[in-house]
Amino acid sequence: MFASTIENSVLDMFPQVELKGHITLVTTRSQAQKAADYLSRQPVLGFDTETKPRFSSGKMYKPALLQLSTDSRSFLIHLKKTGLPAELIAVLSDPRIVKVGAAVRDDIIGLQRYADFQAEGFVDLQEMAQEYGIVEKSVKKLAAIVLGKRVSKSQQITNWEAYPLSEAQARYAATDAYVCFRIYRELMAHQEEKKSSRQRMYEEVLEKAESLMKDETDLVANMANISALIKESFKFWWVGFYLVNEAAGQLVLGPFQGPAACTRIPQGRGVCGSSWKQRKTLIVPDVEKFPGHIACSSRSRSEIVVPLFDKEGSIKAVLDIDSEKLNTFDKTDKKYLEKLAALFKNIY
Ligand code: SME
């Protein structure tokens, strides 16, 4: 689908990305209102900010410019002149308007120095690209891999508080947001392939697991290998097993891959204890919204837990997988992880 990495040396060989749309400079509150009127009607906006470069440590400048782009229009909002008006805050906190950028967290923190607002609907290309197997993080490299285009970085360290901006600065700033819009759209157009590539990976994992477990009946050895196989293939944050201890009414930590974790979980507690009690797979898109979730690591944001049944239908263990990203798991993961869990039936 897409290359996972790209060499610096080939980046200059791609044709430069061309900003097609019109650039609107926004320097007054009424222009900001008009811009927000257009922006609030868009489903997706490319997003970026520019801050005057800081050459000595200590002083942190507020962002000078907020760029929001669609395919046909780019707005350069001179925050030093307009501040962050309520109409624009509404756009930045509307979960239905996707704002797509790279490393958006830093830009958002910068903007929040103008006004304390709740950022909603932001998509970070760096995280999104990862789901497509792309390892690179810079917009320059993402543009090369996803669009086959070159983005110039020559204006990166100019003075963004200058007014008026030079033509080159305006074009550079608008292109940065515009290219994020384009990368997002291209990645979305390949969503189906992304899904099927995950399926393919699960099929490979399943095949390897079957061959690893074919002649091995030791539970610890098999659990250790299966955790490693899943962790290596998908790079999830934590993958491991908790074994049922009926007498204690607890799950006890078994073989796993990832950071050290909680050792004992009572039945009915947390996602693992609930999966055991409810005798079914639980998918948790956002662990903070799961009542009683046990946070072994603050990095875990979504989770799936699959029970392992023996031939008589008793639960002997659960397979727990944690992700650093929200909404990682869906019915594809459930389907294949339940198949993996079923391999253990013959061992008990
Ligand atoms: N989050 C789990 C606990 C296990 S760790 O994630 C490894 C739970 O709520 O059961």
Side-chain angles (χ1 to χ4, degrees), residues 43-243:
V44 181
L45 297 169
F47 161 88
D48 195 18
T49 66
E50 303 296 345
T51 305
K52 184 174 169 176
R54 194 173 48 123
F55 292 109
S56 60
S57 57
K59 191 163 176 169
M60 264 286 280
Y61 294 109
K62 285 183 183 179
L65 213 59
L66 162 63
Q67 306 102 277
L68 292 164
S69 280
T70 64
D71 214 13
S72 54
R73 296 195 68 174
S74 291
F75 292 88
L76 302 185
I77 299 144
H78 284 260
L79 296 168
K80 291 275 147 128
K81 294 192 180 289
T82 59
L84 196 54
E87 297 83 1
L88 284 174
I89 291 178
V91 172
L92 299 174
S93 46
D94 188 336
R96 292 162 305 180
I97 306 172
V98 172
K99 277 79 58 181
V100 55
V104 291
R105 207 178 150 264
D106 295 339
D107 299 272
I108 293 168
I109 292 172
L111 290 173
Q112 283 168 339
R113 300 178 70 210
Y114 281 98
D116 190 19
F117 67 94
Q118 181 79 26
E120 297 277 1
F122 281 83
V123 170
D124 200 319
L125 279 182
Q126 298 186 333
E127 286 176 17
M128 187 178 178
Q130 236 179 25
E131 293 169 16
Y132 291 77
I134 304 173
V135 177
E136 301 291 1
K137 298 259 180 265
S138 72
V139 171
K140 205 175 163 82
K141 289 193 165 182
L142 291 178
I145 291 173
V146 179
L147 304 174
K149 299 278 187 197
R150 173 166 51 95
V151 204
S152 153
K153 283 283 164 196
S154 59
Q155 297 295 319
Q156 199 165 21
I157 52 163
T158 57
N159 178 10
W160 295 105
E161 290 185 10
Y163 183 81
L165 292 176
S166 70
E167 164 73 24
Q169 279 182 309
R171 191 151 274 278
Y172 167 88
T175 304
D176 250 14
Y178 168 71
V179 86
C180 290
F181 173 90
R182 290 269 311 268
I183 294 170
Y184 175 82
R185 207 175 49 180
E186 194 61 26
L187 289 176
M188 289 302 278
H190 288 79
Q191 232 183 355
E192 285 307 311
E193 292 170 44
K194 179 188 84 172
K195 278 193 197 140
S196 59
S197 89
R198 182 167 260 213
Q199 262 173 24
R200 272 201 303 280
M201 241 147 101
Y202 266 121
E203 263 149 30
E204 268 175 38
V205 165
L206 200 58
E207 210 175 293
K208 284 187 195 153
E210 276 164 354
S211 89
L212 281 168
M213 290 175 67
K214 191 160 53 74
D215 302 316
E216 181 53 71
T217 53
D218 187 86
L219 190 64
V220 170
N222 283 325
M223 286 183 165
N225 261 342
I226 300 308
S227 330
L229 202 53
I230 300 173
K231 174 95 165 118
E232 287 297 301
S233 303
F234 296 99
K235 310 285 178 211
F236 293 132
W237 173 248
W238 195 92
V239 182
F241 292 88
Y242 279 91
L243 307 179

